[in-house]
Amino acid sequence: MSESVMSPPKRNIGPVRWARDNLFNTWYNTVLTLVVGYLVVTSVGPLLSWVLLDANFVGDSPEACVGEGACWVFINQRLNFFIYGFYPGDEQWRVNIMFALLALCVIPQFIESFPARRWLGIFALTGLPVVGYFLISGGWFGLETVPTSRWGGLMLTLILAYVGILASLPIGIVLALGRRSDMPIIRGICVVFIEVWRAVPLITVLFMASVMLPLFLPEGMNFEKLMRALIGITLWQSAYMAEVIRGGLQAIPRGQYEAASALGLGYWRKMGLIILPQALKLVIPGIVNTFISLFKDTTLVLIIGLFDVLGTVQSTITDPAWQNVAIEGYVFVAFCFWVFCFGMSRYSQNLERKLDTGHRT
Amino acid sequence: MNDTNPQFEQTRRKPWNDPRVRALVFQAIAIAGVFWAGWALIDNTLANMESRGISTGFGFLDQSAGFGIIMSLIPYDATMSYGRTFWVGLLNTLLVSVMGIVAATILGFIIGVARLSSNWLVAKLALVYVEIFRNIPLLLQIFFWYFAVLRNLPSPRQSVDVGGLLFLNNRGLYLPEPVAQPGFAWVTAAIVIAIAAVVGIRVMAKRRQMATGKIFPTVKVSAAVLIGLPLVTYLLAGGPIVWEIPELKGFNFGGGMTLIPELAALWFALSIYTASFIAEIVRSGILAVSKGQTEAAQALGLRSGMTLRLVVIPQAMRVIIPPLTSQYLNLMKNSSLATAIGYPDLVSVFMGTTLNQTGQAVEVVAMTMGVYLTLSLLISLLMNIYNRAVALKER
């Protein structure tokens, strides 16, 4: 047929039709649209002018902030403290290198066709923490030692989250395997461990780590505050991680276990070569989700006196030199966390779609 | 031929290759390890406590606390014991948890349903809500409500006045308080009778439907009884409730109920944060009910309200309840963030002030963790019973 296909009538396409279908299809939807639309229009305008139009961006003192808008000058002035805490200014290039390395390892994970993407991922999980430790704490290769009491800001938040997830992953795997074990005593120990840690709030764990850990340890053995917080966070997080991984182990069909046994594989090779790779692949989204919640929970360390990014902002907004900058400070921290958490949740949704090999019926 | 059969030799395993023997050995090592760790822990702790001069035991619970608490549900003053501070903190934790669970559930269900609305604007707004509040740390949200919103409200003299009944200022939210008068016992009795009557009506309606197939308008009648009977009794008894309205006296308000800003901030933040998770749970629960179920119900001639009540919601609840339980547990545990803004919950009062004053770290931490452990197990148990009641019964 030479005649081209006719386009649908004008009133069946286009924005008018779309609005009629999606906004005004029934009388109550029309009412809802009008009411909600009114609220949105009246709130977006003032919000926009506060954030952008009336806001103050340039300047170096509170005097630069005039008018009704947000005072972003405050964030700009204190940005160094929010990112590095009390880390000495001359040594901040070391932290910057770490940020760059982290970005180099993480960003390719979002790009499908990036070369050596897998190796960068493996390096992020193994080599990067070691490099990071030597680089940031110093004391080697002629680098000046920076005590952990001076670490702070966004950098500390990232360190807490990164170490927490890395250390809790292997412990979580062992606990999950233990909970699924045939040996009743091993299983009992793992169940009690997991359930106890999961039932108590992270704050009490942090309190315990900061108040009681020194009591538990033999005389003369002591950790600094950051280390104690990390131990608490890791133990707490590994219980959650164990439950996520247990879910994956349960999802592997019995036939896989039997087939591995039929091949004559022992327990560790059966788990390491057949079961765990499949189980972990299934629960990567779940692991990313626990990572997101851990990332948000790292803010609690401010209660035991560590200055993470929220801690630095919280301590600065009470500075008498700056008046009424609380909202600006909170918006800044919220934005930092939101970018990371939203990015991670999008990444996990991507993975879920990509890894869905049609196992589930 | 040799005397020994090589095949036979292979099946008779060496003891270290026998899985049963190995399992026993592993478990023995595990027990030994746990006992050794436990013993070392206790030994170190006792030695450390002795060298620091800390006494052990729960005797401190009877000593006078000597510090004030800004809000308590039971009578408390500074002369009372540390044991009393424990109960004050525990009750405050329970109060904010229950308030949070109720508000988060209502808000979460509304947002979850809104995300599935056919109205584009409403659905997108619900999505924005979820993506914003889910991805911002709870502690930051608590700080925001407390330091940026509630602390910046005007002083009592310039309170925000809602109809002369509600007052909002930087000291908190002031509400009218109902005060029961002598005749109120009749209303209480009427409420009890109404509840009993509703239970009776439900049983009878079900029996009648099973026998004759006739549907009794249970919901409408129940609602009428539940509202009507207490209302009639209330009017007959001459309205035995007096509302005590807060009044500005001097520099502050007197009378009525007060929601202190610490409680309000914690409540708002917990509810809004948890609601964003509950919304996603509700959405996925409703989506999990296949469209065929709705279509089949409609094909049977059920009206849309009945389809929803009898077919969709019961099936969605099966998917919703287990993760909802986890959210309730999370909310209860997250209420411990109260300590950051000074709301006197268990962690703040007992693990904070009491621990600092007495130095009884081991006892205080053990008691606090014991409470959370018990509460967690209790909520799990209750929700599991409910879950079993609504679970799919395969016959």
Side-chain angles (χ1 to χ4, degrees), chain B residues 186-187 189-195 197-198 201 219-237:
Chain B
W186 291 105
V187 182
I191 293 173
V192 173
I193 292 170
I195 291 172
V198 165
I201 288 169
V219 177
K220 279 177 198 159
V221 173
S222 302
V225 170
L226 265 184
I227 298 169
L229 192 60
L231 192 69
V232 169
T233 322
Y234 176 78
L235 292 176
L236 283 180

Side-chain angles (χ1 to χ4, degrees), chain B residues 20 43 72 76 85 113 152 177 197 211 215 226 231 241-242 307 332 335 341:
Chain B
R20 272 175 308 170
D43 189 54
S72 71
Y76 173 84
T85 65
V113 172
N152 276 345
E177 184 179 11
I215 297 174
L226 265 184
L231 192 69
I241 289 183
V242 171
T307 308
M332 195 263 294
S335 73
I341 53 168

Side-chain angles (χ1 to χ4, degrees), chain A residues 22 29 33 36 183 185 198-199 201 203 212 214-219 240 296 300 314 330 334 337-338 341, chain B residues 23 27 31 44-45 48 118-120 125 131 134-135 137 139-140 143 147 273 333 336-337 365 372-373 376:
Chain A
N22 291 298
N29 262 347
T33 304
V36 173
M183 296 180 259
I185 291 170
R198 261 163 32 104
I203 286 204
M212 282 171 77
L215 285 179
F216 289 155
L217 296 171
E219 201 80 38
Y240 283 86
K296 286 182 292 177
L300 301 195
Q314 182 70 12
Y330 291 139
F337 276 96
W338 192 83
C341 294
Chain B
Q27 299 192 64
I31 291 180
N44 284 334
T45 310
N48 281 324
S118 61
N119 188 317
W120 182 86
L125 262 187
E131 290 297 357
R134 201 171 54 160
N135 288 322
L139 187 60
L140 174 59
F143 279 165
F147 290 110
Y273 179 74
K333 286 185 279 172
S336 62
L337 298 188
V365 172
Y372 281 104
L373 205 58
S376 295

